[in-house]
Amino acid sequence: MSPDTVPTDAEAACFEAGIKFGSLYHQFAGTPVSPDSAASLETAMEESIENQPHCTEVSVDVRTAELEAALAESTADYTELTGRFLDVEIVVDYEGCEVVTRMEMEDGYPLMRLESVRGRA
């Protein structure tokens, strides 16, 4: 492999963070959720993703006000989990390079983005 094709530690850390978000979102999208189960679902999501390599911290907040508003318009006691109900932060440390990523609603879309990169190679 030539030196110009080897990813930097920062690039590898960003890739790892993307993998974590893909796992989190697609593993849990569609899960039944209610205000009563939101806290346990947050914990399950955090602990599941923290098991993955290089993941140092995961914070999941179910937006209960949004959840309750959706349920107020429904006859059911629960709905399916989608990105509109989540605020997530994932921190990855790869070879001393730390990346912080976040997913929040932006203009009606659950946008995943890179917040910061520290310790770039």
Side-chain angles (χ1 to χ4, degrees):
M1 197 179 261
S2 67
D4 61 343
T5 61
V6 175
T8 66
D9 288 345
E11 290 168 333
C14 290
F15 174 79
E16 287 292 336
I19 295 296
K20 302 331 175 228
F21 260 117
S23 294
L24 180 136
Y25 195 88
H26 294 291
Q27 178 178 345
F28 289 98
T31 299
V33 64
S34 71
D36 291 339
S37 68
S40 64
L41 185 56
E42 290 169 347
T43 300
M45 294 173 77
E46 291 167 353
E47 291 180 358
S48 172
I49 302 306
E50 285 175 347
N51 283 323
Q52 295 186 32
H54 313 294
C55 190
T56 60
E57 185 179 336
V58 179
S59 172
V60 176
D61 292 309
V62 174
R63 303 174 74 210
T64 53
E66 284 286 328
L67 182 59
E68 289 169 349
L71 291 173
E73 300 172 5
S74 171
T75 58
D77 294 335
Y78 70 94
T79 189
E80 66 182 55
L81 185 67
T82 66
R84 74 182 177 131
F85 299 123
L86 296 174
D87 289 330
V88 180
E89 182 176 279
I90 297 175
V91 179
V92 167
D93 187 310
Y94 180 85
E95 299 296 324
C97 183
E98 181 184 82
V99 297
V100 178
T101 57
R102 176 173 293 284
M103 181 180 80
E104 298 174 308
M105 289 300 290
E106 187 171 304
D107 297 326
Y109 183 79
L111 185 64
M112 298 172 198
R113 67 175 169 272
L114 182 63
E115 290 286 312
S116 65
V117 179
R118 290 182 228 133
R120 298 177 194 212

